[in-house]
Amino acid sequence: MITLPGLIDTHVHLREPGATHKEDFETGTSAAVAGGYTTVLDMPNNPEPTITPGALQRKINLATKRIYSDVGFHFGATINSSQYFQQIKDKVFGLKVYMNHTTGTLLQEDPKILQIIFEKWPKDKVLMVHAEGETLQKAIDLARKNNNKLHVCHVSLASEIRLIQQAKVQGLSISCEVTAHHLFLTKNDAKRLGVFGMMRPPLENPDVLWKAIADRTIDMIASDHAPHTKEEKLGPNPPNGVPGLETTLPLLLTAAYEGKLTIEDIIRLCHTNPAKIFNIPVQKDTFVEIDPTIRYTLYARRLYTKCKWTPFQGKRVKGKVKRVVLRGQTIFKDGEIIGNPRGKVISPL
Ligand code: NCD
Ligand code: ZN
Ligand code: ZN
Ligand code: ZN
């Protein structure tokens, strides 16, 4: 048996309110726990985005008593939402700025508005960007000018890695995450998977990302758990995004078995660094028991996520979550969620 601390995923889309046909607080946090995560941070790009104190409070109310893992929230950036930054800053973990097209309505492209957003967000709190390729340069320039604590979501390109390495050398406060799908799937998989391998940013060459894990340019692994239904994926306007909460850890354990990283790396990338960067509260008596010897196959029908599909269908993995203990109580054992929802809505330290 291997014992891990409760893992932390700083980038998930639990979809409630507004898209509970894709996921909700119960199914999404069940998936989190089954995947070894005891803390997840939820993104603001709902149909009613988290861009007002009222929308944030509604999420908090909806989540209370229905979550199996702890859940914290991110706030969405718009010109209008910037008036609330001071009011909500202690309740959220980060501000999310969408600088490229993706799911939702939060795209910000106007340089004047972006400048105001970066200027107004508190400098000691994380400002997260969806900024692909060339756009990342803009985000870094804005963060340099305004002294922000920048976090780059789902890096996928060699050019992005280079920009982040440069910024780190120059002493900027910058961190970044990579997803399991960008690490374990290739452009060939994208062809094979069709719409079920479609996400933003698209699949690229994983080799550069593995190198960036090895040289510690990458600070954390996040799932970007972005469930959509099969019907939506097969419909006329397939949305971008794939689920990931229940497949990330088994894939990482398999990579550890194959010598691509160590268990210590997994703890640093999925617990210690996210906790430090996002000021996540410590969970007492909380851990995840792994049986590293169990080989099994990832199957969608065994998943708790409401969307019931995975781009990793049929993949052989080694290493399984046996038990999850949250604040001294077993909440997951041998594939089953145990007891009532014991997760809490959390705010940063
Ligand atoms: C995400 C979603 O569906 O909410 N989709 C995706 O392809 N990654 C949005 C996002 O994280 O960009
Ligand atoms: Zn994104
Ligand atoms: Zn996302
Ligand atoms: Zn810890």
Side-chain angles (χ1 to χ4, degrees), residues 11 13 43-45 77 95-104 106-109 114 118 127-139 150-156 160 177 179 181-182 199-202 224 226 240-241:
H11 187 158
H13 302 266
M43 283 292 173
N45 63 333
L95 179 73
K96 180 66 177 285
V97 189
Y98 289 92
M99 296 177 67
N100 298 112
H101 288 270
T102 188
T103 308
L106 291 175
L107 177 66
Q108 306 299 317
E109 288 185 301
L114 284 166
F118 277 64
L127 188 157
M128 311 161 80
V129 287
H130 178 131
E132 301 177 29
E134 306 268 281
T135 310
L136 180 55
Q137 182 69 64
K138 292 184 196 169
L150 188 67
H151 176 78
V152 184
C153 292
H154 44 45
V155 296
S156 66
E160 295 167 358
E177 75 194 25
T179 70
H181 46 269
H182 289 108
M199 76 295 287
R200 297 310 305 175
D224 190 7
N240 284 300

Side-chain angles (χ1 to χ4, degrees), residues 2-8 36-38 249 263 266-268 270-272 283 286-290 324-325:
I2 297 175
T3 303
L4 301 176
L7 300 186
I8 298 168
Y37 294 94
T38 54
L249 180 56
I263 296 295
I266 296 177
I267 295 172
R268 178 171 45 84
C270 303
H271 175 81
T272 321
Q283 296 168 319
T286 298
F287 55 90
V288 178
E289 276 176 5
I290 304 294
V324 179
V325 174

Side-chain angles (χ1 to χ4, degrees), residues 60-82:
I60 294 171
N61 295 347
L62 280 166
T64 302
K65 299 209 166 89
R66 289 178 48 224
I67 46 182
Y68 291 90
S69 67
D70 287 355
V71 177
F73 296 105
H74 296 306
F75 201 60
T78 67
I79 185 63
N80 191 57
S81 82
S82 67

Side-chain angles (χ1 to χ4, degrees), residues 69-335:
S69 67
D70 287 355
V71 177
F73 296 105
H74 296 306
F75 201 60
T78 67
I79 185 63
N80 191 57
S81 82
S82 67
Q83 69 183 293
Y84 305 119
F85 287 176
Q86 286 307 317
Q87 196 181 330
I88 55 83
K89 71 178 171 63
D90 296 329
K91 288 189 187 154
V92 300
F93 286 82
L95 179 73
K96 180 66 177 285
V97 189
Y98 289 92
M99 296 177 67
N100 298 112
H101 288 270
T102 188
T103 308
T105 56
L106 291 175
L107 177 66
Q108 306 299 317
E109 288 185 301
D110 181 337
K112 287 198 212 73
I113 290 177
L114 284 166
Q115 167 53 32
I116 294 169
I117 288 167
F118 277 64
E119 191 182 313
K120 281 198 177 175
W121 184 246
K123 308 303 167 193
D124 58 338
K125 291 200 61 99
V126 182
L127 188 157
M128 311 161 80
V129 287
H130 178 131
E132 301 177 29
E134 306 268 281
T135 310
L136 180 55
Q137 182 69 64
K138 292 184 196 169
I140 291 174
D141 290 345
L142 280 161
R144 181 185 286 117
K145 181 171 171 212
N146 294 285
N147 260 308
N148 297 102
K149 184 173 172 183
L150 188 67
H151 176 78
V152 184
C153 292
H154 44 45
V155 296
S156 66
L157 296 168
S159 63
E160 295 167 358
I161 298 291
R162 276 196 299 274
L163 286 176
I164 292 163
Q165 279 165 344
Q166 271 173 25
K168 284 189 171 182
V169 168
Q170 291 164 359
L172 296 197
S173 173
I174 184 168
S175 57
C176 68
E177 75 194 25
V178 67
T179 70
H181 46 269
H182 289 108
L183 283 174
F184 293 97
L185 297 172
T186 64
K187 278 187 168 164
N188 279 336
D189 291 310
K191 280 190 210 130
R192 173 178 61 85
L193 291 163
V195 288
F196 297 102
M198 258 177 58
M199 76 295 287
R200 297 310 305 175
L203 297 172
E204 298 285 346
N205 174 8
D207 296 349
V208 297
L209 302 173
W210 282 104
K211 280 201 197 87
I213 284 198
D215 72 18
R216 304 216 170 182
T217 304
I218 286 169
D219 299 283
M220 63 183 85
I221 293 168
S223 69
D224 190 7
H225 179 78
H228 299 284
T229 66
K230 281 183 208 162
E231 292 70 27
E232 289 168 325
K233 279 289 196 182
L234 294 169
N237 290 308
N240 284 300
V242 299
L245 276 168
E246 293 162 271
T247 46
T248 298
L249 180 56
L251 290 164
L252 292 174
L253 292 168
T254 308
Y257 170 72
E258 291 167 352
K260 292 181 97 169
L261 80 179
T262 64
I263 296 295
E264 288 68 37
D265 292 330
I266 296 177
I267 295 172
R268 178 171 45 84
L269 293 161
C270 303
H271 175 81
T272 321
N273 282 352
K276 200 166 25 178
I277 291 165
F278 284 88
N279 288 316
I280 310 277
V282 176
Q283 296 168 319
K284 275 186 70 186
D285 305 318
T286 298
F287 55 90
V288 178
E289 276 176 5
I290 304 294
D291 186 335
T293 66
I294 300 184
R295 288 178 192 273
Y296 68 109
T297 305
L298 297 173
Y299 284 122
R301 65 181 146 80
R302 301 203 186 130
L303 303 179
Y304 282 91
T305 178
K306 205 181 270 189
C307 75
K308 289 282 188 268
W309 62 271
T310 166
F312 297 104
Q313 177 77 6
K315 193 158 170 84
R316 295 284 293 163
V317 291
K318 188 170 185 195
K320 195 167 197 175
V321 176
K322 290 296 291 175
R323 188 163 82 107
V324 179
V325 174
L326 176 66
R327 289 181 277 272
Q329 286 181 302
T330 297
I331 59 170
F332 180 85
K333 196 166 186 270
D334 297 325

